[in-house]
Amino acid sequence: HVQLVESGGGSVQAGGSVRLSCAASGYTYNRNCMAWFRQAPGKEREGVARIATGSGNTYYADSVKGRFTISTDNAEKTVSLQMTSLKEEDTAMCYCAADGLLTPEGCSLAGPGVYSYWGQGTQVTVS
């Protein structure tokens, strides 16, 4: 039984920081592709950051590059997203995703459809 349990999020002022965590269980965590997606009201779900848990290769959307950091603790099977210098436009429901498409270079940049498992989502509100 696969589970992705997210924590963190909440309300923060612009310029502030938030840390999201996602604890995974029930599937092979190592040598996998994990990601954080977000979805704002009326918008499509977009990939924010991705990490290949085996190699540690990461990818960031241009909108968050330099502000967000994705990391993995393979021993704890947890992926985290440190979000800094938050802006109002970062307001969204954030989702942890697992079992994405892995390539020799790292996580594929394909959309959300290639991820098999999803967390329940955690809200980040920036004002």
Side-chain angles (χ1 to χ4, degrees):
H1 176 59
V2 176
Q3 280 194 309
L4 298 177
V5 180
E6 296 146 338
S7 59
S11 296
V12 63
Q13 290 188 335
S17 299
V18 165
R19 185 177 181 86
L20 308 181
S21 292
C22 173
S25 63
Y27 72 100
T28 302
Y29 184 87
N30 292 351
R31 301 179 186 175
N32 205 306
C33 180
M34 302 288 293
W36 286 96
F37 282 75
R38 67 183 179 186
Q39 188 165 20
K43 294 188 176 181
E44 292 186 354
R45 190 168 296 192
E46 65 165 341
V48 172
R50 307 164 196 250
I51 186 166
T53 56
S55 66
N57 287 351
T58 58
Y59 169 81
Y60 297 94
D62 287 342
S63 58
V64 306
K65 202 170 292 183
R67 300 189 298 123
F68 291 9
T69 303
I70 189 170
S71 60
T72 180
D73 183 335
N74 288 1
E76 296 296 324
K77 298 184 179 180
T78 299
V79 62
S80 299
L81 185 68
Q82 182 68 43
M83 311 165 73
T84 65
S85 301
L86 284 163
K87 307 173 183 179
E88 290 187 14
E89 51 264 43
D90 292 318
T91 294
M93 183 69 78
C94 296
Y95 297 90
C96 173
D99 199 30
L101 185 61
L102 200 59
T103 74
E105 292 75 34
C107 292
S108 164
L109 300 185
V114 302
Y115 288 83
S116 302
Y117 310 117
W118 292 84
Q120 77 283 1
T122 184
Q123 178 70 34
V124 173
T125 302
V126 185
S127 60

